[in-house]
Amino acid sequence: ALVAGGRFEIPVDLTPLKDGSLTVRIMHEDSLGNRSSEVTETIVKDTIIEAPVIMTSHVAKNDAEEYKYTVTGQGEPNATVYLSVMGQTGATIVHHTVKTDADGRFTLTTDISQVIEDGPFIIVRQEDKNGNESKQATVGIFSYKAGAGDTLWKISSIFNTSIDEIMSLNGLTSSTIYIGQQLTLPTVADVSEPFIEENEFLNMGYVYFGSSKDYFDSVRQTNGSVNVVSPGYFDLNADGSLKLTGTLDRYFIAAMQSSGIRVVPFLSNHWDRAKGEEALRNREQLSTKIAEMVRLYNLDGVNVDLENITHEYRDEYTDFVRLLREKLPEGKEVSVAVAANPNGWTKGWHGSYDYAGLAKYADYLMIMAYDESYQGSDPGPIASIDWVERSIQYALNNGVDRKQIVLGVGHYGRYWQEGATTGGAGISNAQIEYALKTYGGSVKYDGESQSAKAVFTIGEGDPVMKINGKELTPGTYTVWFENPEAIKAKIDLIHRYNLKGMGNWSLGQENPELWDDFAAWLN
């Protein structure tokens, strides 16, 4: 740098260097070519900050029947720790800020009586003295000191667990407890970090079947392969207003986000045309309510999945997505699940999706590229490769940018019993695997459709298998499904067309071994 007025400034990009102590050496040369001696300085590069480590997380009920929460932890020296305690559903959140000492330790005690009846949990993050912010971490409550009026039933209800779990964890042989008794509480572990970098391949996973615990298990078994999870939190009432489902779980939301996974619940009418039409007629109020819930629960957006609505509501559907885009806070995503349309249909439920219009307001369209064969159809693949490719081409030819297209794959199959008048009911990939292990049979990969077909026979006296409450009777069954080879073929299509990513319907139905090779397929 040239010296002007005795001063100079040299911007230096330190990105390639690791955090820690760095040595800077400086010298200068005057206009006559004379060089100065070298000056050496030591500086510290500090850009990465880890979330604080929580050592104790304890609640005690005192004589005044207040619930006092005490947390201790370890962070960076002289950092600021931000701590929020909240319940599962209520709007009340207890916020606190505490400074770490010179050794990085901190402790805080606060009254959380306002949220104790709502399944409390904690979110914590820290900011170091240089202004670097850590990711947030979710924290359960590790232990509880019983107070007057407490019973195991009441404690298990407050902390979203069971009496049996508390008794087992504490070695109790009786449900009787006493005032002042310290009880260890079960906590839910975080999932692993996703291996997919931000703005790279988007891999979203719907979670729908089961409880919030099942959602955790479904995400965990993907080994960090998903970076967006879409739980079934948003349903509709008969008048088209928003209905929150019983699986909505703030702890799940915070735990996913702490692991770098965005939480974008899907809004569904579950194929109920009347509810879907009412929702679109009520779109002004519905979009406002969804935006409020996204703010209240710190969600990362909404995925719209209204199906079986005809072309008569095509414009209203697009306008609903426009309203969501306008009302959701900045940085929140809006996506739409759209019917695969390889044949270019403009009437019926396929006609309700104006691909180009929706793409103006949505971050991406998730093409439901499955159910080529369906319940009541002849046996066949649920997503043959030609059918899927024509669905991608339809989107591209109708004004959707390739980086706005997410290709949906189904982790299930459909089965037909030989001799039955109708068939095609759904069966998860995990159930298919169980059936093949239980009854034997064979699997053949069909090269033309790039789909898998299994055949197995249930004999008289064989073990009973139920699917969605229906018992499979003796006979020979043909199952078309998406095995790992078929799913890899869909990922190859995503690469060939340079699409945004993949959607999974739904997590928990797949064979977990799929995720062992997933990272390699992406590359």
Side-chain angles (χ1 to χ4, degrees):
L2 289 175
V3 178
R7 302 182 65 85
F8 67 91
E9 181 176 301
I10 305 177
V12 181
D13 182 7
L14 301 181
T15 302
L17 302 180
K18 295 181 180 179
D19 276 13
S21 296
L22 302 176
T23 300
V24 182
R25 291 190 290 271
I26 306 171
M27 54 84 65
H28 70 203
E29 181 179 300
D30 68 16
S31 59
L32 299 177
N34 302 306
R35 293 192 174 193
S36 71
S37 58
E38 192 174 75
V39 175
T40 301
E41 297 285 347
T42 299
I43 65 172
V44 177
K45 181 187 177 190
D46 181 16
T47 58
I48 298 173
I49 178 172
E50 300 295 333
V53 176
I54 302 302
M55 311 303 291
T56 63
S57 178
H58 174 71
V59 172
K61 185 180 180 183
N62 62 21
D63 293 341
E65 297 200 355
E66 298 171 326
Y67 291 86
K68 294 292 186 178
Y69 173 65
T70 300
V71 60
T72 64
Q74 180 74 40
E76 286 198 15
N78 304 310
T80 302
V81 176
Y82 299 90
L83 186 138
S84 301
V85 186
M86 64 190 73
Q88 290 289 350
T89 59
T92 301
I93 303 176
V94 179
H95 293 289
H96 276 287
T97 302
V98 62
K99 285 280 191 180
T100 63
D101 63 19
D103 295 319
R105 293 189 292 266
F106 66 92
T107 185
L108 173 72
T109 298
T110 184
D111 185 0
I112 61 168
S113 302
Q114 294 170 287
V115 298
I116 197 66
E117 298 290 344
D118 197 23
F121 67 98
I122 300 90
I123 294 177
V124 64
R125 63 181 177 86
Q126 70 172 321
E127 180 180 310
D128 69 13
K129 59 185 178 182
N130 295 317
N132 303 306
E133 291 189 9
S134 73
K135 290 182 179 180
Q136 69 178 27
T138 52
V139 183
I141 293 172
F142 306 160
S143 62
Y144 178 73
K145 182 179 178 181
D150 277 335
T151 64
L152 284 187
W153 178 85
K154 182 177 181 180
I155 296 169
S156 65
S157 299
I158 289 174
F159 296 107
N160 195 27
T161 183
S162 68
I163 294 174
D164 288 343
E165 283 183 297
I166 295 176
M167 290 183 66
S168 175
L169 199 58
N170 291 275
L172 302 179
T173 57
S174 165
S175 61
T176 302
I177 57 174
Y178 56 86
I179 294 175
Q181 186 170 359
Q182 295 279 358
L183 297 170
T184 300
L185 299 174
T187 57
V188 180
D190 280 350
V191 298
S192 59
E193 287 281 347
F195 64 77
I196 302 170
E197 295 291 336
E198 189 73 16
N199 299 321
E200 291 188 5
F201 189 97
L202 182 143
N203 190 30
M204 72 171 295
Y206 289 96
V207 282
Y208 177 64
F209 299 102
S211 65
S212 190
K213 181 183 181 301
D214 296 316
Y215 291 3
F216 268 106
D217 293 340
S218 296
V219 175
R220 189 174 292 113
Q221 77 176 9
T222 69
N223 299 325
S225 299
V226 297
N227 47 18
V228 176
V229 65
S230 189
Y233 288 166
F234 293 164
D235 279 0
L236 294 169
N237 294 306
D239 63 357
S241 60
L242 184 66
K243 175 184 177 181
L244 299 180
T245 69
T247 56
L248 198 155
D249 182 350
R250 265 195 170 128
Y251 191 97
F252 177 83
I253 296 166
M256 293 298 107
Q257 292 168 339
S258 296
S259 300
I261 299 173
R262 299 191 297 281
V263 182
V264 181
F266 69 94
L267 171 73
S268 180
N269 64 330
H270 302 290
W271 202 253
D272 188 320
R273 180 174 296 177
K275 283 185 179 179
E277 291 177 350
E278 280 298 322
L280 295 182
R281 284 193 286 267
N282 185 46
R283 61 188 178 278
E284 187 72 53
Q285 292 79 12
L286 178 59
S287 57
T288 297
K289 191 65 175 178
I290 290 173
E292 288 177 2
M293 294 302 100
V294 168
R295 291 188 189 93
L296 176 61
Y297 291 99
N298 192 34
L299 296 162
D300 294 296
V302 62
N303 174 262
V304 181
D305 183 22
L306 301 181
E307 302 180 38
N308 194 32
I309 301 169
T310 71
H311 58 279
E312 296 176 357
Y313 282 83
R314 179 184 178 95
D315 292 341
E316 289 84 351
Y317 203 143
T318 302
D319 192 54
F320 174 51
V321 176
R322 176 190 66 82
L323 289 169
L324 288 171
R325 167 56 65 212
E326 290 179 356
K327 294 179 181 181
L328 258 64
E330 186 178 354
K332 305 295 185 180
E333 77 175 46
V334 177
S335 58
V336 185
V338 297
N341 197 356
N343 300 311
W345 289 317
T346 58
K347 302 294 184 181
W349 83 282
H350 292 81
S352 67
Y353 303 102
D354 178 358
Y355 272 50
L358 293 170
K360 289 180 182 178
Y361 308 111
D363 291 279
Y364 56 88
L365 306 185
M366 204 292 295
I367 300 176
M368 295 180 282
Y370 33 80
D371 280 353
E372 176 184 7
S373 299
Y374 48 89
Q375 188 159 2
S377 77
D378 292 334
I382 68 165
S384 65
I385 199 69
D386 176 68
W387 186 86
V388 172
E389 186 165 13
R390 286 188 289 116
S391 299
I392 295 171
Q393 292 168 347
Y394 175 83
L396 293 171
N397 294 335
N398 281 270
V400 185
D401 186 271
R402 64 185 67 252
K403 286 303 181 183
Q404 284 184 287
I405 298 174
V406 171
L407 186 67
V409 300
H411 296 286
Y412 66 93
R414 293 194 177 276
Y415 66 91
W416 289 262
Q417 184 178 10
E418 192 175 289
T421 56
T422 187
I427 177 173
S428 74
N429 283 6
Q431 290 170 323
I432 295 168
E433 188 77 14
Y434 172 81
L436 290 170
K437 287 180 179 178
T438 303
Y439 307 116
S442 62
V443 178
K444 179 181 178 181
Y445 189 72
D446 180 64
E448 182 179 355
S449 67
Q450 295 196 36
S451 297
K453 181 173 76 169
V455 178
F456 61 86
T457 299
I458 302 177
E460 296 287 349
D462 281 348
V464 173
M465 180 176 180
K466 289 185 177 180
I467 299 174
N468 297 323
K470 181 180 178 181
E471 184 176 311
L472 299 189
T473 58
T476 297
Y477 292 82
T478 297
V479 185
W480 284 89
F481 68 106
E482 296 289 87
N483 70 349
E485 193 173 355
I487 291 172
K488 181 183 182 299
K490 309 303 185 295
I491 293 176
D492 289 343
L493 270 184
I494 293 171
H495 287 321
R496 187 186 312 165
Y497 284 92
N498 193 25
L499 305 182
K500 185 177 183 69
M502 186 171 94
N504 300 270
W505 180 266
S506 62
L507 298 184
Q509 294 193 90
E510 78 279 13
N511 183 335
E513 294 176 1
L514 165 77
W515 305 111
D516 294 342
D517 298 317
F518 191 79
W521 295 346
L522 293 190
N523 296 315

